[in-house]
């Protein structure tokens, strides 16, 4: 056992004295030490229940013969951080979470780990750490929020942001907005649509690192506590069998995850996180391969913001295993991949029934014949960009219009809310990428303002930043190379015509090569927006979005 390095032998007597100071008994020291990595805090609604999840996990570990030891991880609430400097600190926490988990796990020589994340960057940060540390590990999330109810309709956080846009447009009163405010987020949990947090928790199941229900059982259901107890028990089985993340997160598992991503219509942020996790697992993950998988993978789910269904309904319909079983009928998944159940994917999903063919469409009746995410390229994004096409209305799948150019999110929001953006426009927000932001802010405020003001079916938005999973419409993000390093998006001028062709995976700036070269000769790098602290260090080390915004030292 790894923990023998801190619990066994005469040289470890000082270590045992410190365990004694913790109140740990000799019996507990003689059992495997299982680290419980918990991102509980009192500021993130998706994390306020994680203390209860952790307690249930610890009961399961102890019942199965291990000694659970909890330590924390940080978490940022993207919704609370949205629209101000706080959003610069969202994506960047992914690497802090990964690094700090590595530090704690290896400094204290845990034999195994149970990861308890829930929201956005915490799930991929912990998955990156799991791959890096490579001791037996299992995930159990805090679960999704129940949908809210406003005026007899189910609603979620994206509805709240769009309500603000509707108020600005004069189509909602202050009282209407207050009604949304008090009802769209009725419980703890990760926000109730297929946003980034729920996308990543669902894909954790597909990767094989979480038990069935990890992504879909609502946070307030007692089944979530039972799941946590079972995860605590299961980690001891994984330790006994020495099943590690490297046995589970294989290349084939990542292809499975990307395939199910297409079927679910996940957040475009998965196109940042899957490459970063794969990098830690030792694989290259080219985001462009999403298109090849998309061409043969039907989109089976339309959860908010793409449609009017919510995570609780996906859970009732059979959850992720039911979606996977549908895809397996088309031979789209590798069924031999190992999982934390100790069984293969094929064994796990066998007999999992689709209980509601409207929530999870059958493969012969999909919402779309192609997958939920498209990776575009062209002279405006030579190294690719991404769009959640399952959330794009049909009339915006192809679009051509004049560029309205803004060098930060705030200026774009002011123009949108000031009525300066009109039907047909293509809003370009640049210098918001991983380096330029720094931190690659999410653009939920401008996309919600566009939708709320009734422009969602006639205005596109393109950025080297990224989008919340709650964004909908022709929202094209992760433009690479980004403006801060001189990517073509830095050369766009007001009124340039931009052509979007999602079905053919194209994004083109209709400006001649000669004119672009003239503009490039006159382009000058911008002074860094942040010169001190963690963000300044991050900006120096971070790579482009198409590489997953990973950190490198060379």
């Amino acid at each position: 056992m790894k923990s023998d390095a801190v619990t066994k032998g005469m040289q470890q007597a000082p270590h045992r004295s410190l365990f004694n100071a913790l109140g740990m008994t000799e019996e507990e020291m003689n059992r495997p030490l299982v680290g419980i990595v918990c991102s509980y805090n009192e500021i993130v609604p998706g994390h306020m229940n994680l203390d209860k999840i952790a307690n249930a996990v610890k009961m399961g570990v102890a019942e199965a013969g291990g000694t659970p030891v909890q330590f924390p991880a940080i978490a940022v609430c993207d919704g609370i951080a949205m629209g101000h400097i706080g959003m610069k600190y969202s994506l960047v926490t992914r690497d802090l979470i990964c690094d700090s988990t590595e530090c704690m796990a290896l400094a204290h020589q845990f034999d195994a780990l149970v990861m308890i994340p829930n929201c956005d960057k915490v799930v991929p940060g912990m998955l990156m750490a799991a791959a890096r540390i490579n001791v037996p590990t299992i995930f159990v999330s805090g679960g999704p929020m129940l949908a809210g109810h406003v005026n007899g309709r189910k609603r979620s956080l994206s509805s709240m942001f769009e309500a603000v846009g509707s108020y600005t447009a004069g189509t909602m009163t202050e009282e209407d907005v207050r009604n949304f405010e008090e009802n769209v987020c009725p419980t703890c949990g990760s926000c109730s649509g297929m946003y980034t947090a729920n996308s990543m928790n669902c894909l954790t199941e597909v990767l094989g690192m979480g038990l069935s229900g990890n992504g879909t059982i609502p946070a307030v259901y007692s089944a979530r506590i039972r799941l946590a107890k079972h995860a605590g028990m299961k980690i001891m089985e994984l330790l006994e069998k020495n099943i590690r993340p490297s046995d589970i997160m294989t290349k084939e598992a990542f292809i499975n995850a990307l395939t199910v991503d297409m079927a679910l219509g996940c957040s475009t942020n998965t196109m940042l996180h899957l490459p970063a996790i794969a990098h830690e697992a030792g694989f290259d993950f080219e985001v462009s391969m999403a298109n090849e998988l998309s061409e043969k993978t039907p989109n089976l789910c339309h959860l908010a913001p793409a449609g009017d269904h919510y995570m609780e309904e996906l859970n009732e319909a059979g959850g992720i295993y039911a979606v996977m079983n549908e895809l397996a009928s088309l031979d789209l998944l590798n069924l031999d991949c190992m999982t934390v159940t100790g069984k293969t994917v094929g064994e796990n999903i066998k007999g999992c029934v689709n209980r509601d063919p409207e929530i999870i469409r059958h493969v012969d009746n999909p919402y779309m014949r192609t997958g939920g995410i498209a990776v575009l390229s062209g002279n405006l994004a030579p190294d690719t960009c991404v769009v959640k096409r399952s959330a794009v209305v049909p009339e915006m799948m192809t679009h051509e219009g004049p560029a309205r150019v803004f060098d930060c999110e705030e200026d774009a929001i002011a123009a949108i809310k000031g009525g300066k953006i009109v039907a047909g426009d293509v809003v370009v927000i640049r210098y918001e990428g991983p380096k330029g932001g720094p931190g690659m802010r999410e653009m939920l405020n401008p996309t919600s303002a566009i939708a709320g003001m009734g422009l969602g079916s006639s205005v596109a938005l393109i950025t080297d930043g990224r989008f919340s999973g709650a964004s909908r419409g022709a929202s094209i993000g992760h433009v690479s190379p980004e403006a801060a390093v001189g990517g073509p998006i830095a050369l766009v001028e007001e009124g340039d015509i931009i052509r979007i062709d999602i079905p053919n995976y194209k994004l083109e700036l209709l400006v001649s090569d000669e004119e672009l070269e003239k503009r490039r000769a006159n382009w000058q790098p911008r002074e860094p927006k942040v010169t001190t602290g963690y963000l300044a260090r991050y900006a120096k080390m971070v790579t482009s979005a198409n590489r997953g915004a990973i950190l490198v030292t060379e």
Side-chain angles (χ1 to χ4, degrees):
M1 290 288 178
K2 288 176 67 71
S3 61
D4 289 353
V6 293
T7 59
K8 301 291 193 301
M10 182 55 64
Q11 291 298 317
Q12 282 65 43
H15 306 69
R16 290 193 297 274
S17 72
L18 293 168
F19 282 113
N20 287 332
L22 290 169
M24 192 176 290
T25 65
E26 183 178 353
E27 291 81 1
E28 288 174 304
M29 280 184 257
N30 286 332
R31 298 172 188 152
L33 295 184
V34 179
I36 313 298
V37 193
C38 181
S39 55
Y40 165 78
N41 64 43
E42 296 181 342
I43 189 63
V44 184
H47 291 234
M48 63 177 285
N49 66 321
L50 297 191
D51 56 339
K52 297 175 180 60
I53 301 295
N55 286 336
V57 166
K58 288 189 280 187
M59 290 178 65
V61 169
E63 184 174 331
T67 298
V69 183
Q70 184 175 330
F71 62 88
I74 64 169
V76 165
C77 177
D78 279 24
I80 295 174
M82 194 70 65
H84 55 87
I85 191 173
M87 182 45 68
K88 294 178 184 289
Y89 287 91
S90 174
L91 177 62
V92 303
T93 63
R94 186 184 71 181
D95 296 277
L96 285 175
I97 291 161
C98 177
D99 293 347
S100 60
T101 301
E102 174 196 0
C103 291
M104 290 294 289
L106 297 182
H108 302 103
Q109 292 292 286
F110 289 108
D111 297 303
L113 297 168
V114 181
M115 307 282 198
I116 308 177
N118 209 24
C119 292
D120 295 56
K121 265 45 80 207
V122 188
V123 185
M126 288 188 182
L127 283 165
M128 290 163 65
R132 186 185 296 178
I133 299 163
N134 200 34
V135 298
T137 303
I138 194 170
F139 278 66
V140 56
S141 77
M145 184 184 291
L146 293 179
H149 291 81
V150 181
N151 300 329
R153 287 186 59 192
K154 286 187 175 182
R155 297 288 192 172
S156 61
L157 184 65
S158 55
S159 308
M160 183 70 254
F161 277 88
E162 291 176 15
V164 175
S166 297
Y167 173 79
T168 303
T171 58
M172 269 194 187
T173 66
E174 186 173 347
E175 185 178 349
D176 292 331
V177 175
R178 178 63 62 86
N179 188 25
F180 272 74
E181 183 180 329
E182 293 177 349
N183 291 290
V184 296
C185 296
T187 73
C188 65
S190 49
C191 297
S192 55
M194 187 55 81
Y195 309 153
T196 305
N198 292 327
S199 295
M200 290 309 304
N201 282 321
C202 289
L203 295 187
T204 299
E205 279 190 52
V206 184
L207 280 171
M209 293 298 293
L211 299 176
S212 178
N214 179 68
T216 60
I217 297 172
V220 295
Y221 282 14
S222 298
R224 175 64 55 180
I225 299 298
R226 296 198 298 272
L227 180 73
K229 290 177 181 177
H230 284 135
M233 297 174 196
K234 185 61 69 172
I235 192 62
M236 298 309 296
E237 179 184 326
L238 294 173
L239 180 60
E240 180 183 357
K241 295 179 178 179
N242 196 29
I243 298 175
R244 300 168 180 257
S246 58
D247 301 312
I248 296 171
M249 289 196 284
T250 61
K251 289 182 180 180
E252 292 77 15
F254 280 99
I255 293 172
N256 280 351
L258 189 52
T259 300
V260 177
D261 187 330
M262 295 297 159
L264 290 172
C266 290
S267 164
T268 52
N269 281 314
T270 62
M271 293 294 99
L272 281 176
H273 299 322
L274 287 176
I277 300 162
H279 174 75
E280 293 293 345
F283 310 128
D284 289 329
F285 184 104
E286 296 291 338
V287 295
S288 57
M289 72 177 175
N291 292 340
E292 179 183 348
L293 293 176
S294 178
E295 287 296 329
K296 58 185 179 182
T297 305
N299 177 229
L300 305 181
C301 300
H302 261 195
L303 291 98
D308 294 325
H309 302 148
Y310 295 87
M311 295 303 296
E312 62 205 67
E313 295 167 277
L314 178 59
N315 186 63
E316 292 161 7
I320 301 307
Y321 279 11
V323 175
M324 295 174 73
N325 213 21
E326 287 285 346
L327 296 175
S329 70
L330 295 179
D331 198 27
L332 292 176
L333 298 177
N334 187 312
L335 302 182
D336 295 326
C337 293
M338 179 52 62
T339 73
V340 291
T341 66
K343 299 177 181 178
T344 64
V345 167
E347 291 172 313
N348 286 341
I349 68 175
K350 184 177 181 180
C352 290
V353 177
N354 178 356
R355 303 189 190 98
D356 190 334
E358 182 58 25
I359 305 300
I360 305 171
R361 291 281 184 92
H362 291 309
V363 292
D364 57 359
N365 181 39
Y367 283 101
M368 297 191 306
R369 294 288 173 188
T370 51
I373 290 177
V375 177
L376 315 183
S377 61
N379 69 341
L380 186 51
D383 292 340
T384 71
C385 56
V386 300
V387 61
K388 185 173 182 175
R389 66 171 159 192
S390 60
V392 179
V393 294
E395 55 265 40
M396 289 299 289
M397 286 291 185
T398 58
H399 180 76
E400 191 172 303
R404 305 298 310 279
V405 184
F406 305 94
D407 287 350
C408 66
E409 177 188 8
E410 289 82 359
D411 290 349
I413 292 172
I416 295 165
K417 292 188 174 180
K420 296 179 180 179
I421 302 301
V422 299
D425 284 348
V426 179
V427 176
V428 177
I429 305 177
R430 61 191 180 190
Y431 295 101
E432 290 285 6
K435 285 184 180 292
M440 203 178 183
R441 288 193 289 181
E442 289 183 339
M443 303 291 150
L444 180 56
N445 272 345
T447 59
S448 297
I450 288 169
M453 296 181 75
L455 297 170
S457 61
S458 59
V459 169
L461 195 155
I462 297 171
T463 181
D464 54 6
R466 60 197 179 93
F467 295 106
S468 165
S471 290
R472 62 186 176 98
S475 304
I476 299 170
H478 307 192
V479 170
S480 301
E482 63 175 288
V485 298
I489 192 172
L491 309 179
V492 181
E493 295 183 357
E494 188 80 6
D496 286 347
I497 301 301
I498 294 175
R499 179 183 295 157
I500 299 165
D501 185 352
I502 295 173
N504 290 304
Y505 307 113
K506 290 293 185 182
L507 180 66
E508 297 287 346
L509 178 64
L510 302 186
V511 173
S512 69
D513 293 342
E514 292 77 14
E515 173 61 21
L516 287 178
E517 284 305 312
K518 289 179 185 178
R519 295 180 188 181
R520 185 174 300 283
N522 293 323
W523 178 80
Q524 294 293 325
R526 301 292 181 92
E527 289 296 319
K529 294 178 184 176
V530 179
T531 57
T532 61
Y534 177 58
L535 286 179
R537 297 198 305 274
Y538 180 89
K540 290 179 180 178
M541 299 174 66
V542 70
T543 63
S544 62
N546 67 299
R547 294 183 60 190
I550 60 173
L551 301 186
V552 296
T553 55
E554 68 265 14

